[in-house]
Amino acid sequence: MKKLLKKRIIIPFCALVIFISSTAFQNDFFEIAKQIEIFTTLYKEVNMNYVDDTNPAQLMDTAIKSMLSDLDPYTQFYNEQDVEAEKIRRTGDYTGIGANVRTMKDKLVIIEPYKDYPADKAGLKAGDEIIKIGNTVLANYKEDAGDLLKGSSSTKVTVTYLRQGKEYNADIMRSEVEIDAVPHFSMIDDKTGYIVLDKFNNKASSQTGYAVKDLKAQGAENIILDLRGNPGGLLLEAVKIVNLFVPKGQLVVSTKSKVKKFNRSYYTQNDPIDTEIPLIVLINGTSASASEIVSGALQDLDRAVIIGSRSFGKGLVQRPKPLTYGTQLKITISRYYTPSGRCIQALDYWNRDDKGNAVRIEKDKYNEFKTKNGRKVFDGGGVFPDEALAETKNSAITKAIQNDFLIFDFATDYYYKHPNTDIHNFKLTTADFNDFKNFLKTNDFTFVTETEKALSKVLEKAVKEDLDDNIETDYNALVSKLNNSKELAINENKEEILALLTDEIVKRFVYREGLYEFYREHNLEIKKASEILSSPSTYKNYLN
């Protein structure tokens, strides 16, 4: 009788749950269908009736990308051209001129020609401004001008470019370009191997593994793995790279999502190369995503000492979803968590400020976790290094200078003004730093601080409340003091700015390959890593 009563209670309850779930789904489905119908009607009316001719594809592309911008910057719509570019990023192979190019409104700027590839062979250098490709003047070209440089291998493209105000022409023979995940590895001294891991494409783990084996064969008893500036990439490659240094069957990262099938735990699958060799990982503020999985996991497992500055803080996982007509949606499906259970996502895209900007998770909201050996680590703000170097920390004002490409532009000028520079013993002086500060003024560098933004809001409210007459003098005095503070901030970050300028200038003379050689003798982080590795007891103290 009790069993029968139980069944009578359970069956209606289950039916109620199913009904509620079904109703909720139907309500969502109705709302989605309703909004699609509204949008379709609007889209048709605009294209049919707008006073000027419209570009339906461009309108739709803009509409989709604007909609996704309310989510997070990693959820993106890819048109057919974007899909091809993403494929190149994953594989590291493409056909073109072999250069990193920045697209601007009326020109393409060569950021870095790859050594011995077509652009380099044709004589193009960083800072060159391409203004014409074939017969197409880029100032009049409305599509992505970078596509004009692409084409089949062994086909020629003619470009017109400006260098230091003078106009030149060059014929570039396109070729297949292979971008290595590991552009450099070498011995720093007779016991320490150095590996630069530049990106997480599908060659990352195999090339890193090859480098580790090769360096060990050369006598390496320690390894420095450089992830500085690595923006990330394929999650599975990150797991495989951790696997080079930790045993099979070890949890590396887990993902959590509202869709259960995306909840996954990723364990090492293979036998490692070496689980004992002392390992140091270098990170900075632009080490992101897969770089943070590797550095975070190795830190949590007490398998490596992390040196540098706090990483970027991207704890979100994306997955590509094919759409119709060769397009694609890359959508954030989950957050990832390191072995200790922490998510290192730094920006909150779901609780924005009153201007719609994502806010950084405050330090007092970080949660504490423990590594395998019981060391304290924290979530919410990227991976914090075990040895933080103040000189490598990207300040707000330095980021602003970089975002305006002023370090890049100064390096271009320096290269042409100092053609006989001895890079082997290269060191910028205080006079060079003062030249750079004058360069910032000449180029009207401006930087609005968070304090200025807050003060501006106060003044806006004071105007509305007719209180501005009372506070305007004080407001202007504070703004004046802030401007003086910004001048001081540049001086206070002198070492950091000089390091960034040095890197950019060295690359101009000896390419990226030569920069890594320069690092071996002059780089602060590598010197600190070598110092720690030279003392086994010091190394072990970091991990215990």
Side-chain angles (χ1 to χ4, degrees):
M1 185 69 180
K2 283 183 180 179
K3 284 184 180 179
L4 183 61
L5 184 61
K6 214 175 198 179
K7 282 183 181 178
R8 285 177 180 171
I9 293 170
I10 289 172
I11 290 170
F13 176 75
C14 292
L16 180 64
V17 170
I18 292 168
F19 173 76
I20 291 170
S21 301
S22 175
T23 303
F25 172 76
Q26 286 175 358
N27 287 341
D28 284 347
F29 183 80
F30 171 75
E31 187 62 29
I32 291 169
K34 173 186 169 183
Q35 297 304 326
I36 288 173
E37 187 176 349
I38 291 169
F39 178 79
T40 304
T41 307
L42 178 146
Y43 179 66
K44 184 174 72 173
E45 292 297 332
V46 168
N47 280 288
M48 287 176 63
N49 299 311
Y50 188 69
V51 62
D52 293 322
D53 288 339
T54 57
N55 183 328
Q58 191 174 26
L59 272 179
M60 181 59 77
D61 199 69
T62 302
I64 293 171
K65 288 177 179 177
S66 296
M67 174 181 68
L68 296 181
S69 69
D70 275 349
L71 302 178
D72 64 67
Y74 313 110
T75 296
Q76 297 176 342
F77 169 70
Y78 291 154
N79 57 33
E80 291 169 274
Q81 292 79 21
D82 295 334
V83 170
E84 185 61 28
E86 182 67 8
K87 181 181 174 184
I88 290 168
R89 191 184 69 80
R90 288 198 306 269
T91 62
D93 297 333
Y94 70 99
T95 301
I97 67 167
N100 180 10
V101 178
R102 176 188 173 205
T103 303
M104 299 182 72
K105 188 167 70 172
D106 57 349
K107 60 191 173 186
L108 297 173
V109 179
I110 301 292
I111 297 297
E112 180 184 359
Y114 303 139
K115 187 178 181 182
D116 296 331
Y117 277 108
D120 180 41
K121 289 179 179 178
L124 269 69
K125 297 184 180 299
D128 289 347
E129 301 174 355
I130 298 174
I131 57 172
K132 186 177 177 183
I133 300 176
N135 295 318
T136 303
V137 177
L138 301 192
N140 303 326
Y141 192 69
K142 303 304 180 187
E143 306 298 326
D144 185 352
D147 292 338
L148 298 173
L149 296 175
K150 298 173 184 175
S152 302
S153 184
S154 300
T155 59
K156 185 177 74 173
V157 59
T158 300
V159 300
T160 302
Y161 63 93
L162 297 177
R163 176 184 294 170
Q164 299 290 284
K166 294 182 180 179
E167 189 173 298
Y168 301 88
N169 294 305
D171 292 331
I172 308 174
M173 192 67 69
R174 300 181 182 97
S175 74
E176 291 184 3
V177 179
E178 183 177 337
I179 302 174
D180 287 326
V182 176
H184 176 89
F185 67 90
S186 62
M187 295 291 289
I188 288 176
D189 53 44
D190 58 351
K191 290 186 178 180
T192 305
Y194 172 57
I195 302 170
V196 179
L197 178 55
D198 201 38
K199 52 184 57 67
F200 285 84
N201 59 25
N202 58 13
K203 304 170 187 172
S205 59
S206 60
Q207 290 188 349
T208 306
Y210 177 85
V212 173
K213 290 175 183 175
D214 190 284
L215 292 171
K216 280 171 63 71
Q218 293 183 53
E221 298 176 10
N222 310 300
I223 295 290
I224 298 172
L225 178 62
D226 194 342
L227 296 180
R228 291 173 296 174
N230 186 323
L234 302 176
L235 181 146
L236 289 177
E237 288 297 300
V239 176
K240 290 176 182 177
I241 286 167
V242 173
N243 196 173
L244 300 175
F245 304 104
V246 304
K248 183 177 181 180
Q250 171 64 55
L251 175 66
V252 174
V253 63
S254 56
T255 59
K256 295 179 184 178
S257 168
K258 72 175 184 181
V259 181
K260 285 186 177 179
K261 68 177 181 178
F262 295 144
N263 292 343
R264 290 194 59 184
S265 295
Y266 295 85
Y267 292 84
T268 51
Q269 301 290 319
N270 305 307
D271 293 324
I273 292 176
D274 194 325
T275 61
E276 300 296 330
I277 191 168
L279 175 65
I280 283 183
V281 178
L282 307 181
I283 61 172
N284 64 10
T286 52
S287 304
S289 190
S291 293
E292 295 172 299
I293 290 174
V294 170
S295 55
L298 292 172
Q299 186 180 54
D300 281 1
L301 299 172
D302 295 303
R303 181 62 189 88
V305 174
I306 314 300
I307 291 180
S309 55
R310 184 175 71 176
S311 66
F312 181 81
K314 179 181 179 287
L316 305 175
V317 182
Q318 288 71 47
R319 175 168 291 190
K321 293 283 186 182
L323 304 175
T324 54
Y325 297 103
T327 61
Q328 194 177 91
L329 171 67
K330 186 178 78 169
I331 184 169
T332 298
I333 59 166
S334 55
R335 291 177 176 84
Y336 73 74
Y337 297 80
T338 63
S340 67
R342 56 183 169 145
C343 179
I344 50 77
Q345 178 64 24
L347 291 175
D348 186 351
Y349 295 105
W350 299 271
N351 296 290
R352 297 176 183 247
D353 63 19
D354 55 5
K355 289 194 175 179
N357 298 315
V359 294
R360 182 169 285 276
I361 297 169
E362 297 296 330
K363 199 170 183 178
D364 59 0
K365 294 181 181 177
Y366 294 169
N367 298 299
E368 182 183 305
F369 296 83
K370 294 289 179 67
T371 69
K372 189 176 179 182
N373 290 342
R375 295 186 298 138
K376 292 180 182 179
V377 287
F378 300 90
D379 65 1
V383 175
F384 291 83
D386 302 308
E387 178 64 41
L389 302 178
E391 296 90 335
T392 69
K393 181 182 177 182
N394 268 13
S395 63
I397 200 157
T398 308
K399 287 177 185 175
I401 291 169
Q402 285 184 294
N403 290 341
D404 284 355
F405 282 84
L406 292 170
I407 285 175
F408 177 86
D409 291 340
F410 181 84
T412 301
D413 284 357
Y414 189 97
Y415 174 76
Y416 289 108
K417 288 176 180 176
H418 302 82
N420 300 315
T421 298
D422 176 13
I423 287 300
H424 182 71
N425 298 306
F426 181 66
K427 186 175 177 63
L428 290 170
T429 64
T430 298
D432 293 318
F433 183 65
N434 290 332
D435 286 345
F436 179 67
K437 288 196 292 183
N438 290 328
F439 182 81
L440 294 181
K441 290 176 183 175
T442 304
N443 285 272
D444 300 321
F445 170 67
T446 56
F447 170 57
V448 181
T449 65
E450 292 299 320
T451 306
E452 280 177 290
K453 292 176 186 176
L455 282 173
S456 180
K457 285 181 186 177
V458 170
L459 186 63
E460 283 176 21
K461 289 181 180 178
V463 169
K464 288 178 183 177
E465 296 172 357
D466 293 327
L467 297 173
D468 51 310
D469 290 340
N470 299 325
I471 70 167
E472 194 161 6
T473 302
D474 292 336
Y475 171 81
N476 290 333
L478 282 169
V479 169
S480 178
K481 286 182 179 179
L482 274 171
N483 287 330
N484 292 334
S485 296
K486 283 189 276 188
E487 178 76 24
L488 288 172
I490 292 174
N491 291 331
E492 286 170 359
N493 290 282
K494 175 182 175 181
E495 296 306 317
E496 178 193 343
I497 291 170
L498 287 177
L500 292 168
L501 286 169
T502 298
D503 287 359
E504 194 62 48
I505 291 168
V506 168
K507 274 195 301 183
R508 301 306 172 92
F509 288 94
V510 290
Y511 300 88
R512 185 169 291 274
E513 291 81 353
L515 175 62
Y516 299 133
E517 295 291 334
F518 181 83
Y519 276 171
R520 288 168 49 185
E521 292 185 41
H522 303 282
N523 183 253
L524 175 69
E525 294 97 308
I526 292 176
K527 284 182 177 179
K528 186 63 181 178
S530 298
E531 178 189 318
I532 292 170
L533 289 169
S534 68
S535 170
S537 60
T538 301
Y539 175 81
K540 288 178 182 176
N541 284 340
Y542 277 96
L543 302 177
N544 292 319

